[in-house]
Amino acid sequence: MFWKIKSGISGFGLVILGVLTFGGEEACGQEPPHREQILVHGHQASGMNAAYLHDEATLGPLGTRSLLETPFSIMTVPHDAIVNQQARNANDLAQYLPSVQLEMRGDPNTSRPQSRGFEADVIANSRLDGLNMVITTPYAAEQFDSLQVLNGLSGALYGPQNPAGTFDYVLNRPTDQPRERVVFGVDSQAPLESLDASGRVGKSKWFGYRVTMLNQSGTTYTPDAHLRRGLISGAFDLNLDARTQIQIDASQYSYAQRGYAGGFSYATGIALPQAPDLSRRGYGQDFAGYNASTTTVLAKIVHRFSDDWSMTLGGLYQDAWRNVFSVTNTLTDSAGRYRTSIAAATTANDFRVWSNLAYLNGHFHTGPFSHQVLLGSNGYSMGTFNPTKGQSAVLGTARIGEPVVFQGTQPYFSGSYQSASIVSQSLLAGDTITLSRHWSVMGTLAWSWLDTTSGNTLGVTTARYHVGPAFTPMTSLIYRANERTSLYATWGRAIQAGPIAPASSVNANEVLSPLQSEEYEVGIKYRPVPELMLSAAGFRMTRGFAFTDPSTGLYREAGEQRNYGVEGQIAGRLNKALSVFGGVTWLDAQTGATGSVLTSHKQVVGVAPVQVSLLLDYHSVWMRGAAVNASIHGVSQRAADVENRNFAAGFTTLDLGARYGFHLYHVPVVLRFGVSNVTDERYWASVYPSSINGAANAMNSAVAGMPRTYHATTEIEF
């Protein structure tokens, strides 16, 4: 009798297959009396598989569904991409999505996102595990498992929101097996260390935990640019029984930076010059910067009544505080001369949010038809608080290409008042009816209530509006050609909170009725192999907006932004050695009438007609554990002002990275190294106007892209 051992080692995965045979009988050609197989799975480090395909989508009240059965354009930035690309903030997660643009405001790590050329709201378009959260505050990428973006309208699922889609950030959850992940690294000259510990304990492993801690502090892309980040977060699962689970999440993230380059503002008519080299000192000042502290608590109860019926209840509280005292470089001419000023911003410095959801999902049959139904509600309330006073100063003048380091001190703000509040709540109902093996119909409806209030520094309410119920429908037709291909057509409407009439209008401080948006979309999804998804969609979307009628002085909804375009997406594995994620979007974004002949029917500022984002990851089949990756991001020329008199040049950036994994005394270790903007491209990363509605007196802002930077980490998983 003897043993045959077959073994294979792949990266950090170890599989040992032991086959027990009896040599004498086998040698005589007789069948062995029995054969025993033992399969042992070893530990594998995060990201080593480069699994870039999420074949399911989580759609709030609709629950989790296969992408092939989802009549929307959806992309999910997976966890493997987050760790392999060494993402540090929410902006890093969005750069791989071809239909997403970022408006950087006050800080390069903090942005207001756009989808398909429409600007997102502060809270209505962003969600944390399905619950509304503030998007204009920093977040650490280390606490997220993935980012899912639904492009297009989704008001019939999520209530009133801008037509910029839904950005759902998914938190890390406890793992079934115990894991402790320690990371040491450096971004340029800013060292970092983090710990991610996870597992389940107790009888039947009823209690799951995941704790993440992060610390980073140091110099980044110039000697004056200093960054500090600190995170502590916990995710806990309590399995009360086989059908009921309570999920509790809590986090506190503190963020501060000093000396980061300020944005450039300019009036229409001033040409936007070539973007500056931000590695040079002087575009920011070491006494200017940004502080933020974001505290979030989230809880859910998930109960399954049976295999066909389930209920989810959830709530979130968030306090997002920020202190902005950054510099602004105001261009004074087309030769690149600018005036540098600093101010303690008196815009919103504190957002306090309560959000909620309650969903009932079921599955049943009526004759030959199958139904997936939903009943539910979701919504939020948000209070916005502003300082009453803020210091400011003009520091001096300079010129692009010849920046100046000024002397000065940090300005401060004082006082506080509630400048606005908004309450939004929606009732939802929907049904997906499977008519046959090939055809199905989806319909969802929302009845929404909106309450908005504005106030001044004296505590006096200046405007108030209540509306409801406002009805928003959406319907889709889905055709499953076969197991690998689906086609769909979707139509929907949505609303968003109405604006407040400016003081210069005859109806000053009047809150207008909710603005309406509409979408038509057709698409196809194709899965040639299990690990690859291809999709394409064509769309036409509109949103209404208001302006002051020049003939009557009345502020009213009279304009319409119209965007149409085509997007193609790819995610997954082309072969055993090459993973891919990204796509390309062609977009025509136009404003309609704006009340001014100078700005009517023009390209939307900052929206590129063509955008390409593509991540390629080659993991060697001949050198186990070794991999290289390249990320390409290309943006075409964009309008730089509301009159389209000037344009921001297009650009292409290239990021390169490598990783190597091995075992050190049976402990998985991963070494990662990456270079962002390898060619040191100088470009305008973000361009946007002060008014997205084409106001003739709008100022414009431009934020330059980061220079070449380096990232290196050592990851150890126990």
Side-chain angles (χ1 to χ4, degrees), residues 129-322:
D129 276 1
L131 289 150
N132 289 94
M133 52 85 133
V134 175
I135 193 57
T136 52
T137 191
Y139 291 96
E142 287 84 353
Q143 70 184 109
F144 297 129
D145 175 76
S146 61
L147 165 62
Q148 176 186 286
V149 177
L150 186 160
N151 298 303
L153 288 184
S154 48
L157 295 177
Y158 295 108
Q161 60 177 201
N162 294 15
T166 300
F167 295 75
D168 193 4
Y169 295 83
V170 180
L171 292 167
N172 292 324
R173 297 236 58 80
T175 57
D176 291 334
Q177 299 300 323
R179 303 186 74 170
E180 290 80 35
R181 178 173 175 259
V182 180
V183 177
F184 301 96
V186 62
D187 297 331
S188 296
Q189 300 179 54
L192 68 89
E193 53 273 350
S194 68
L195 169 67
D196 184 8
S198 180
R200 299 185 186 275
V201 296
K203 185 178 180 180
S204 300
K205 296 186 176 182
W206 71 274
F207 180 76
Y209 65 90
R210 186 153 188 177
V211 177
T212 304
M213 293 183 286
L214 163 72
N215 178 64
Q216 182 174 26
S217 181
T219 302
T220 54
Y221 61 92
T222 68
D224 288 340
H226 188 276
L227 171 71
R228 187 183 74 247
R229 300 193 301 143
L231 168 72
I232 181 167
S233 69
F236 307 97
D237 291 347
L238 289 75
N239 296 321
L240 303 186
D241 54 44
R243 294 185 179 272
T244 308
Q245 183 181 77
I246 297 177
Q247 301 174 0
I248 300 174
D249 299 86
S251 66
Q252 205 288 323
Y253 183 51
S254 60
Y255 171 89
Q257 56 91 343
R258 298 290 184 275
Y260 276 51
F264 289 79
S265 66
Y266 55 99
T268 298
I270 293 179
L272 190 60
Q274 182 183 10
D277 177 5
L278 295 192
S279 64
R280 299 184 61 180
R281 298 178 61 197
Y283 295 112
Q285 308 298 324
D286 60 8
F287 52 88
Y290 185 100
N291 296 333
S293 176
T294 305
T295 301
T296 307
V297 180
L298 182 155
K300 284 185 180 180
I301 300 176
V302 181
H303 177 73
R304 298 194 65 85
F305 300 99
S306 66
D307 291 340
D308 292 326
W309 289 89
S310 65
M311 177 184 67
T312 303
L313 305 175
L316 174 148
Y317 171 74
Q318 185 174 65
D319 187 349
W321 175 89
R322 62 188 184 184

Side-chain angles (χ1 to χ4, degrees), residues 282-368:
Y283 295 112
Q285 308 298 324
D286 60 8
F287 52 88
Y290 185 100
N291 296 333
S293 176
T294 305
T295 301
T296 307
V297 180
L298 182 155
K300 284 185 180 180
I301 300 176
V302 181
H303 177 73
R304 298 194 65 85
F305 300 99
S306 66
D307 291 340
D308 292 326
W309 289 89
S310 65
M311 177 184 67
T312 303
L313 305 175
L316 174 148
Y317 171 74
Q318 185 174 65
D319 187 349
W321 175 89
R322 62 188 184 184
N323 177 10
V324 182
F325 47 98
S326 57
V327 296
T328 298
N329 301 313
T330 303
L331 293 170
T332 56
D333 59 33
S334 297
R337 295 181 180 88
Y338 62 88
R339 181 181 64 255
T340 298
S341 59
I342 187 171
T346 55
T347 53
N349 75 319
D350 194 5
F351 299 97
R352 300 174 192 173
V353 175
W354 290 93
S355 58
N356 64 84
L357 61 81
Y359 303 139
L360 176 67
N361 297 89
H363 178 258
F364 61 90
H365 289 79
T366 55

